[in-house]
């Protein structure tokens, strides 16, 4: 952008630039489309129709004379992106004004001067926020084809300027956080191509994201027919210089240029309707041209082309913004990557500081792409035993990931020949630990003692000494988090759960027995966290003035997270404040996406808890936490007695009952510890975060960074350098902020290959009712209720008939679980947080339901079958 602003200074008074005068550095002057066309015209062998660009300087000059133009932009920026009526009204008002603007004589002469008599032109919008690497804005502004005559071209330019404020463009910018006043419009004017065929080509498969595949779409005549949806396109797939697939559409209509200007739909001759728009040779020629353009720009491209006779003309190329990036590798070999986020219940992007902290925490090397982390599974797939072990582990934690991985393995094109599913286990089962509650008590005490020592040490550290201390203390975090004995303890419980489900299904036909047996277990910090908020609700409920006060906490104009300081001003507020603070003292280090150290914690943003707390006040009875815990414990005990009685009645029943009793004891003694190592990690992260933010405040005071959260966009080593030197590269920080915003629009795949292929997997089942959504059964039971699609816990206004539908749940969602009727998530496995807590609370749950938040409507009646693993849509 810096070079673009310099170009604008040079070009003042030159409102028109020929395409060959334009490069990427002038995007601020000619917009995204103009900049790319200028670059395309420089590539050897690429034929771009000649033309010129009416620069953004012309747009700025003309709109400067519009009364209250800036005021209208301010009003536009304040609109809600979902308020379609307000957007439509104000954007139409601005368009009408801009379209009627007079063009000064000298500017009109500059625009019409290059035009040639009897030549038709394409007049095309080129906004400065268009065709960017992170957002294409494709189709948001207007294009006019086959424009004939100087007056018509001038009118087309004005209409292109006005199209910067189409309803769809305004809404797109509002949703993307793009400031309207920062966007300017240039207009490209090119000689019109009258093609025999036209279309688009993608240098990476737009469906699978495979970078080795080129996809070509073609229609007869102008591509307007394809864009408008008037006709279906022929589709050709090219892989390794071979057309490997083709789908030829029936061609009823084609859009053609008319002699006097404009276009019209024309019926295709019957004998041509079933003929392909392109020969295979032409398809391969286009694919080769696409690879050449992709190499020049350095990333996969979405290219618009026209074929006139034997001439291929390129009329646009933009980055494909929807592809998930490929992790960089040290070699040219094939790699298969597994998503860490799907295992950690955190598929959102992490900031650079968050990424680096997680990489310093885990012992396994991790690759980065799109703000997410991936494990390179290629070494594990090198042997049959490694493949078998990995598939078995993935099958339990995320069956969709296992299916996606199996798809790659069965194909045999990345990691060797197709393989037989009969490899021996390379890793023996974990040796169990004898069930003794003292074991867990000692492990918890060890972590608490380590945290107390950390508290004493970290508060005295500052500057580089603090950063060095954090780096050193991370070794203590790793020691506790990956303690081999601690791992044996919770694996004893997990293996017991799997044993119980497998054997009791075989012996008694009992499905999901471990789910009931896991209810109200001791030492389960995450389920205790949810019940503890019920106790806070009991305190709040006793004071109507406090309840009314809290209802206003999230209203506009309220002081937000400062509400605890103001709470004592109302009757009963001191008691309520103390109860909330006690809760935060114990659980305030938690938050959504807590593996990212840069995410604000509950202690810092307690308003997140207010909707859940008010839901408990409204829907729970006093003393609900104790009753729920006792009820769960009684249900587990009764289930145990029933199972043991039925087992003893079987042949060899005493042995079977004794084995089952041992497994139940292992499960109930140790499954509560399953979440505790992560509690220790998050508690340390919280302390690191507080110390680093204090250091960031010092950097702000010293003028090193502009905002304390700027440090989130530095890796840990970079932050160390900034603290040591007192210097930060603000351009790097600004660029990474922009990249992070772009990453938020990407959906990470479960499995990603070095070819860029993104695989999400599927359930290969025949036991799912027609129309139902398949998932993984993780907590038994079947219930009906109202679906509440909740993207963020802060929006969790739920009651007792609600079924929570969300992308994923981590421990921060635990307080919500005491209100809801059932759980549906897009991500998860048998032992991920949502599944564990759902079982402890006795909630039917189905996880790994691909697209659940999109396919299930908020308020829809649904039935959740947590025993068989599917969701039925009832209304």
């Amino acid at each position: 952008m810096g070079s673009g602003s310099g170009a604008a200074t040079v070009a003042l008074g030159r409102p028109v630039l020929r395409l060959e005068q334009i490069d990427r550095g002038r995007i601020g002057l000619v917009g995204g489309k103009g900049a790319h066309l200028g670059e395309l015209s420089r590539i050897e062998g690429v034929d771009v129709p000649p033309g010129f660009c009416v620069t953004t300087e012309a747009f700025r000059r003309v709109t400067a004379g519009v009364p209250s133009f800036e005021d209208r932009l301010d009003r536009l920026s304040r609109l809600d992106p979902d308020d379609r009526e307000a957007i439509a009204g104000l954007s139409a008002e601005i368009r009408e004004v801009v379209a009627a603007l007079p063009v000064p004589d000298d500017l009109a002469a500059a625009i019409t001067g290059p035009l040639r008599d009897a030549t038709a032109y394409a007049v095309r919008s080129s906004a400065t926020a268009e065709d960017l690497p992170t957002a294409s804005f494709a189709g948001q502004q207007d294009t006019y084809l086959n424009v004939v005559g100087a007056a018509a071209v001038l009118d087309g330019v004005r209409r292109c300027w006005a199209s910067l404020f189409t309803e769809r463009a305004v809404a797109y910018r509002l949703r993307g956080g793009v400031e309207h006043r920062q966007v300017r419009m240039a207009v490209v004017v090119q000689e019109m191509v009258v093609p025999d065929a036209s279309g688009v080509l993608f240098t990476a498969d737009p469906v699978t994201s495979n970078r080795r595949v080129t996809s070509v779409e073609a229609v007869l005549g102008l591509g307007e027919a394809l864009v408008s949806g008037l006709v279906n396109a022929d589709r050709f797939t090219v892989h390794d210089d071979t057309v490997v697939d083709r789908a030829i559409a029936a061609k009823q209509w084609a859009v053609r240029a008319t002699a006097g200007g404009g276009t019209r739909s024309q019926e295709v001759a019957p004998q041509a309707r079933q003929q392909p728009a392109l020969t295979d040779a032409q398809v391969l020629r286009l694919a080769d041209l696409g690879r050449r353009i992709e190499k020049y720009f350095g990333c996969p491209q979405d290219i618009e082309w026209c074929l006139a006779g034997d001439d291929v003309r390129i009329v646009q190329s933009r980055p494909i913004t929807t592809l998930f990036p490929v992790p960089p590798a040290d070699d040219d070999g094939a790699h298969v990557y597994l998503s860490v986020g799907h295992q950690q219940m955190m598929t959102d992007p992490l900031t650079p500081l968050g990424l680096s902290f997680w990489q310093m925490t885990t012992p396994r090397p991790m690759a980065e792409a799109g703000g997410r982390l991936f494990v390179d599974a290629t070494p594990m797939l090198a042997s049959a035993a490694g493949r078998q072990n990995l598939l078995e582990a993935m099958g339990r934690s995320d069956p969709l990931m296992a299916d996606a991985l199996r798809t790659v393995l069965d194909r045999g094109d990345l990691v060797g020949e197709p393989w037989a599913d009969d490899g021996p286990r390379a890793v023996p089962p974990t040796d169990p630990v004898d069930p003794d509650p003292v074991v867990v008590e000692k492990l918890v005490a060890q972590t608490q003692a380590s945290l107390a020592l950390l508290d004493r040490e970290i508060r005295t550290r500052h500057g580089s000494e603090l950063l060095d201390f954090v780096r050193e203390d991370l070794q203590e975090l790793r020691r506790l988090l990956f303690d081999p004995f601690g791992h044996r303890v919770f694996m004893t419980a997990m293996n017991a759960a799997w044993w119980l489900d497998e054997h009791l299904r075989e012996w008694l036909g009992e499905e999901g027995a471990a789910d009931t047996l896991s209810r109200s277990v001791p030492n389960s910090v995450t389920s205790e966290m949810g019940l503890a908020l019920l106790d806070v609700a009991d305190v709040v409920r006793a004071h109507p003035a406090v309840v009314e006060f809290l209802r206003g906490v999230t209203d506009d104009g309220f002081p937000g997270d400062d509400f605890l300081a103001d709470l004592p001003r109302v009757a009963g507020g001191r008691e309520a404040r103390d109860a909330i603070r006690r809760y935060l003292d114990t659980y305030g280090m938690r938050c959504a996406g807590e593996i990212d150290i840069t995410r604000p914690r509950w202690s810092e943003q307690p308003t997140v808890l207010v909707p859940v707390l008010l839901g408990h006040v409204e829907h729970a009875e006093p003393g609900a936490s104790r009753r729920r815990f006792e009820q769960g414990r009684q249900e587990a005990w009764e289930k145990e007695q029933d199972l043991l009685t039925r087992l003893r009645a079987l042949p060899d029943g005493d042995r079977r009952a004794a084995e089952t009793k041992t497994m139940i004891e292992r499960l109930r003694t140790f499954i509560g510890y399953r979440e505790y190592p992560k509690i220790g990690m998050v508690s340390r992260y919280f302390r690191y975060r507080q110390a680093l933010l204090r250091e960031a405040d010092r950097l702000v005071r010293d003028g090193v960074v502009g905002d304390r959260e700027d440090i989130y966009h530095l890796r840990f080593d970079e932050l160390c350098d900034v603290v040591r030197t007192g210097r930060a590269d603000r351009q790097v920080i600004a660029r990474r902020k922009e990249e992070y915003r772009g990453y938020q629009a990407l959906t990470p795949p479960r499995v990603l290959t070095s070819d860029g292929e993104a695989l999400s997997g599927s359930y290969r089942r025949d036991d799912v009712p027609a129309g139902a959504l398949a998932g993984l059964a993780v907590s038994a039971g079947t219930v009906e209720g109202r679906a509440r699609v909740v993207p963020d816990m802060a929006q969790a206004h739920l009651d007792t008939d609600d079924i929570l539908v969300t992308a994923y749940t981590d421990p921060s969602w635990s307080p919500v679980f005491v209100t809801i009727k059932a759980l549906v998530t897009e991500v998860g496995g048998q032992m991920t947080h949502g599944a564990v807590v759902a079982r402890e609370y006795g909630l039917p749950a189905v996880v790994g339901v691909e697209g659940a938040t999109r396919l299930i409507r908020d308020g829809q009646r649904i039935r959740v079958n947590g025993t068989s693993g599917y969701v039925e849509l009832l209304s």
Side-chain angles (χ1 to χ4, degrees):
M1 291 297 290
S3 57
S5 61
T9 300
V10 172
L12 285 175
R14 296 177 57 202
V16 170
L17 292 173
R18 298 190 310 275
L19 291 182
E20 56 267 27
Q21 294 176 295
I22 296 170
D23 58 26
R24 276 176 281 190
R26 295 193 169 192
I27 191 170
L29 191 62
V30 299
K33 186 180 277 101
H36 282 94
L37 284 169
E39 291 286 351
L40 283 165
S41 66
R42 298 164 183 265
I43 306 174
E44 185 178 356
V46 174
D47 189 354
V48 176
F52 58 90
C53 187
V54 182
T55 67
T56 57
E57 175 59 24
F59 175 81
R60 186 202 62 77
R61 178 181 168 188
V62 171
T63 56
V66 179
S68 305
F69 185 67
E70 294 295 323
D71 176 62
R72 285 184 170 100
L73 293 186
D74 287 338
R75 288 163 53 200
L76 211 57
S77 297
R78 291 192 293 269
L79 294 181
D80 184 326
D82 293 320
D83 190 345
R84 297 181 61 183
E85 184 176 350
I87 291 173
L90 185 52
S91 60
E93 176 185 324
I94 298 175
R95 282 199 312 278
E96 184 177 350
V97 170
V98 174
L101 287 174
V103 180
D105 291 343
D106 62 326
L107 180 55
I111 295 172
T112 60
L115 301 178
R116 297 195 302 165
D117 292 339
T119 301
Y121 290 89
V123 182
R124 311 167 69 198
S125 302
S126 180
T128 53
E130 184 177 349
D131 297 340
L132 303 179
T134 56
S136 72
F137 284 77
Q140 301 306 311
Q141 284 88 38
D142 290 345
T143 287
Y144 301 96
L145 300 179
N146 200 35
V147 180
V148 178
V153 169
L154 273 179
D155 184 58
V157 169
R158 273 194 301 262
R159 290 161 71 186
C160 283
W161 286 338
S163 74
L164 188 61
F165 302 101
T166 61
E167 182 179 346
R168 62 184 182 273
V170 168
Y172 195 95
R173 289 197 295 272
L174 286 171
R175 288 194 174 90
V178 177
E179 173 55 49
H180 300 294
R181 66 177 61 255
Q182 294 177 351
V183 182
R184 293 288 184 264
M185 178 66 82
V187 181
V188 173
V189 180
Q190 286 178 283
E191 292 186 11
M192 181 70 188
V193 179
V194 181
D196 301 308
S198 55
V200 295
L201 74 89
F202 301 92
T203 63
D205 191 311
V207 176
T208 68
S209 298
N210 193 327
R211 268 69 162 180
R212 293 174 61 189
V213 170
T214 297
S215 176
V216 178
E217 297 183 2
V219 297
L220 297 177
L222 292 166
E224 184 182 352
L226 175 59
V227 174
S228 65
L230 177 66
V231 299
N232 293 322
D234 292 349
R235 289 180 170 82
F236 304 87
T237 302
V238 179
H239 187 278
D240 290 340
D241 299 322
T242 302
V243 178
V244 295
D245 191 28
R246 61 183 61 76
I248 308 305
K251 301 169 182 62
Q252 182 76 18
W253 300 93
V255 174
R256 308 281 188 183
T258 59
T263 62
R264 67 180 178 88
S265 298
Q266 179 179 326
E267 201 166 3
V268 176
Q271 64 272 22
R273 291 177 183 174
Q274 302 298 328
Q275 295 299 311
L278 298 172
T279 65
D280 280 6
Q282 289 169 331
V283 170
L284 294 176
R285 182 180 169 194
L286 281 168
D288 179 68
L289 199 56
R291 292 298 177 199
R292 195 180 312 172
I293 295 170
E294 177 187 67
K295 183 178 181 181
Y296 181 87
F297 285 111
C299 64
Q301 297 287 301
D302 167 0
I303 300 167
E304 298 176 22
W305 55 269
C306 296
L307 178 67
D310 198 39
D311 295 330
V312 175
R313 317 292 290 274
I314 302 299
V315 294
Q316 180 56 308
S317 185
R318 63 175 68 91
I320 305 177
T321 60
T322 57
L323 298 179
F324 200 86
V326 178
D330 295 331
D331 57 51
D332 296 328
H335 295 266
V336 179
Y337 302 96
L338 306 183
S339 167
V340 173
H342 284 81
Q343 298 293 310
Q344 290 295 326
M345 302 297 100
M346 168 58 175
T347 55
D348 296 341
L350 282 72
T351 63
L353 188 62
L355 288 167
S356 59
F357 254 92
W358 187 248
Q359 287 169 315
M360 290 189 295
T361 298
T362 180
R364 186 183 294 278
M366 291 186 178
E368 294 181 29
R372 279 81 168 185
L373 292 169
F374 293 84
V375 171
D376 186 351
T378 314
M380 292 177 272
L381 301 175
S383 67
R387 298 175 184 188
Q388 178 66 20
N389 290 331
L390 187 57
L391 278 174
E392 182 176 329
M394 291 298 99
R396 285 176 170 173
S397 65
D398 190 331
L400 289 176
M401 187 176 289
D403 181 77
L405 185 59
R406 187 181 292 275
T407 298
V408 175
L409 292 172
D410 287 346
R411 206 169 54 204
D413 60 340
L414 284 176
V415 289
E417 294 301 315
W419 61 292
D421 189 3
D422 57 2
R425 287 182 58 90
V427 181
T430 304
D431 291 335
V433 177
D434 291 336
D436 181 354
V438 175
V439 169
V440 176
E441 294 172 7
K442 288 182 177 179
L443 287 170
V444 171
Q446 175 182 258
T447 297
Q448 291 300 322
S450 180
L451 287 171
L453 178 62
L454 171 61
D455 285 334
R456 292 195 296 271
E457 294 285 338
I458 200 169
R459 66 169 58 102
T460 64
R461 315 291 174 126
H462 306 283
S464 293
E465 182 186 8
L466 169 65
L467 277 296
D468 291 342
F469 173 79
V470 169
R471 190 192 301 274
E472 182 178 343
D473 191 75
L474 277 163
Q475 303 311 309
E476 173 71 358
L477 184 158
R478 289 165 59 124
R479 182 185 72 80
L480 294 168
L481 183 61
F482 302 109
D483 173 41
F485 182 71
H487 182 267
R488 278 183 60 201
V489 168
F490 64 71
M491 283 305 300
T492 294
M494 292 168 68
N495 286 330
W498 292 324
W499 188 96
L500 287 165
D501 279 342
E502 179 182 341
H503 285 78
L504 294 176
R505 182 186 304 112
E506 177 187 348
W507 293 342
L508 298 175
E510 185 83 20
E511 292 288 346
D515 297 352
T516 305
L517 295 168
S518 299
R519 292 179 187 171
S520 298
V521 297
N523 302 308
S524 176
V525 65
T526 47
S527 60
E528 289 168 3
M529 180 170 67
L531 296 174
L533 197 63
L534 284 172
D535 293 333
V536 177
D538 287 349
V539 176
V540 170
R541 190 184 298 106
H543 304 288
V546 172
V547 175
E548 191 62 28
F549 176 90
L550 291 177
R551 284 181 177 143
V553 161
T554 55
D555 289 348
D556 291 341
F558 198 87
D561 292 314
D562 296 332
F563 76 91
L564 288 177
D566 296 322
L567 194 50
R569 297 177 184 174
V570 303
R574 189 174 301 278
E575 294 86 344
R577 179 203 62 189
D578 292 345
I580 294 171
R581 282 185 172 169
R582 284 193 298 272
Y583 184 86
L584 294 174
D585 287 343
T586 306
Y587 304 111
M589 72 290 195
R590 312 226 74 157
C591 69
E594 60 195 9
I595 69 168
D596 184 349
I597 195 173
T598 66
R599 290 290 186 101
R601 310 289 143 161
W602 287 347
S603 289
E604 299 163 334
Q605 290 188 347
T607 51
V608 172
L609 293 171
V610 172
V612 182
L613 179 58
L614 288 173
H616 293 350
V617 169
E618 182 177 352
H619 300 297
E621 297 292 329
S625 66
R626 290 180 293 280
R627 285 196 303 275
R628 288 188 64 130
F629 186 82
E630 289 304 323
Q631 178 184 349
R633 187 161 60 179
Q634 182 67 22
E635 289 172 352
W637 184 85
E638 290 174 356
K639 172 61 72 173
E640 177 181 346
Q641 301 312 304
D642 173 65
L643 292 170
L644 295 178
T645 298
R646 290 160 60 193
L647 285 171
R648 291 188 183 106
L650 298 176
D652 199 21
D654 288 342
R655 177 188 62 81
R656 297 183 185 188
E659 289 179 352
T660 300
K661 175 67 173 175
T662 297
M663 292 299 176
I664 293 173
E665 289 176 351
R666 290 177 183 175
L667 174 68
R668 291 193 59 79
T669 303
F670 293 139
I671 197 62
Y673 184 70
R674 167 70 178 84
E675 294 284 327
Y676 200 83
K678 189 175 182 182
I679 286 281
M681 183 200 81
V682 172
S683 298
R684 270 190 140 75
Y685 269 22
F686 180 46
R687 289 157 169 83
Y688 298 157
R689 171 184 166 80
Q690 290 179 309
L692 292 177
L693 284 176
R694 289 193 296 271
E695 195 63 29
D697 289 337
R698 183 188 66 78
L699 293 174
V700 172
R701 289 194 302 271
D702 293 345
V704 179
V705 296
D707 184 86
R708 69 188 327 221
E709 294 186 2
D710 283 354
I711 70 167
Y712 297 168
H713 300 280
L714 298 170
R715 302 185 70 83
F716 183 76
D717 287 342
E718 294 170 337
L719 179 58
C720 291
D721 289 340
V722 168
V723 169
R724 178 176 53 81
T725 64
R727 293 191 302 272
D729 190 332
R730 295 200 181 194
Q731 288 186 334
V732 168
I733 292 171
R735 187 187 76 243
R736 289 182 180 170
K737 286 181 180 180
E738 183 64 27
E739 289 172 346
Y740 181 75
R741 284 191 287 269
Y743 294 154
Q744 289 176 312
L746 297 175
T747 300
R750 284 178 163 82
V751 174
L752 182 66
T753 73
S754 49
D755 289 339
E757 187 177 7
L759 300 99
S760 294
S762 62
Y763 293 103
R764 306 176 192 277
R765 297 168 52 181
D766 55 10
D767 62 335
V768 177
L773 307 178
L776 176 65
V778 295
S779 185
T782 301
V783 298
E784 295 181 12
R786 179 180 66 170
R788 292 304 309 275
V789 182
V790 182
D792 187 333
M793 182 179 158
Q795 303 170 25
H797 301 272
L798 301 163
D799 66 33
T800 52
D801 188 51
D802 287 344
I803 296 171
L804 174 62
V805 181
T806 192
Y808 60 83
T809 62
D810 59 14
S812 71
W813 288 80
S814 295
V816 175
F817 283 35
V818 300
T819 300
I820 60 175
K821 202 172 188 179
L823 173 69
V824 178
T825 67
E826 295 180 338
V827 178
Q830 289 180 334
M831 286 298 168
T832 50
H833 164 265
V836 171
V837 179
R839 288 193 290 270
E840 291 178 9
Y841 286 166
L843 300 174
V846 180
V847 302
V849 181
E850 187 74 8
T853 59
R854 175 175 48 85
L855 299 172
I856 299 174
R857 300 190 315 273
D858 187 56
Q860 187 174 21
R861 296 293 297 181
I862 63 174
R863 181 184 297 121
V864 176
N865 189 321
T867 304
S868 299
Y870 56 81
V871 180
E872 295 176 275
L873 311 180
L874 304 179
S875 66

